Amino acid sequence: MEHLSQLRQLGLFDAKVPRYTSYPPATKFSNDVSSDVFRSWVESIPTGSAISVYLHVPFCRRLCWFCACRTQGVRNDDPVIAYVNTLKQEIATVAAILPKGVRIARLHWGGGTPTLLSADLMTDLADTLLSQIPLAEGAEFSVEIDPNEIDRPRMAALAAAGMNRASIGVQDFDPEIQKIIGRIQGYDVTREAVEGLREHGIHSLNADILYGLPNQTPERISESVQMLLSLSPDRVALYGYAHVPWMAKRQAMIPTDALPTPEERLQLFDTARRLFMWDGYDEIGIDHFAKPTDSMGKAAKTGHLRRNFQGYTDDNCDTLLSLGASAISRFPQGYAQNAASTAAYQKAVRAGELGTGRGHIFKGDDVLRSRMIEMLMCDFRIDTAQLEAEFGPVAAKAEKLYREAADAFGKMVRITEDGFEIPPEGRPLSRMIARVFDEYEMRAEGHSSAI
């Protein structure tokens, strides 16, 4: 109870802080990044290098009420076909300015629901992309799978295209909770999808599950976690449901009086966390779990875990090239985001232009702060010697931020001989602690965070 009281006093149950899947967060992007800037960044990718590529499909056959992603419902395939044709045009436009020999080390299709594409559309899209930007040897190709929106022909098409990792959304298996959040997906449907994927040679499996859902209890989340464990996923993301009906209007369908309190949310997370760890999974960062044999588990042990828009990754490519409406690319120079509106994106691309809408050009200490935040979110520690190996003599700057974090969070953090760390008792506060290192957030609050 004393620990819970300390967390409450430090604002854990009240604070609204970024997830830090990027730094600065996308909410801080501006119009400084134009199509010309994006073009120059693409042209500066080293010849023959390996990059990551993300394809975004912003459509769903049905809109789940809990989801705050930028998606739109479709009743037939006409808008999907039109969008894929636009995506193919964007691929051609970007491939034409890529330096020679660039290959894809990591490819991810997300959404939305990329598996609502027909098998023929999947094959066409994959062929278009990989004929112009081929996969590197040993590449990972992952796709977000909706078990309600997948069949054997589509599994076969994805496997033939080279997919070797599937990411399945579960959320919760409890029928009452599924009804309240507008996501009906029985365990048998999910199990059949998993078995079908494995029969097609796709053995690496990620799964997402949510805590903090309406009417969720420790007993109910325990049952859902145990059902998920029976499918033996290699990785699990345990995300907290964010109720933001002012941003995602469909969340207004979810009764707020059925949502757990902040303290109950923490209990739900801890219940699920203990079950994953009892089953032999390694805890990865703040909300992921992986089998020790999985590449993410290995990356966490060796200090090679990274943060990205999907949460955590073992991807070490310097460039993430993202295609599709609202997709965000990452370069050593900054971030570039395509127009968020599907209509605006398609209009630009069909006119032969790039779809860039906004972004962020790194300046000042952005890259240094980004690395410190990533270290905290991935490893719960900052190694000052490692920082200096990457950025030169920055110890004085780092130590100033260490002291500011220690002043704010007391015994929940430690300044060590090697740098700075968050001990286990402080890890529920990781995002709040990382925020001290965020110049944009601190400046917005009127605090001077200059280093």
Side-chain angles (χ1 to χ4, degrees), residues 383-395:
D383 185 326
T384 305
Q386 179 62 37
L387 277 183
E388 295 213 309
E390 296 180 27
F391 298 97
V394 294

Side-chain angles (χ1 to χ4, degrees), residues 295-316:
S295 59
M296 183 179 286
K298 294 176 182 178
K301 287 186 175 71
T302 57
H304 293 95
L305 189 67
R306 306 305 296 265
R307 195 84 169 131
N308 72 356
F309 291 107
Q310 276 75 52
Y312 289 99
T313 183
D314 57 339
D315 177 11
N316 59 8

Side-chain angles (χ1 to χ4, degrees), residues 154-170:
R154 283 180 280 187
M155 291 179 191
L158 289 171
M163 182 179 85
N164 50 22
R165 182 179 289 275
S167 183
I168 290 185
V170 170

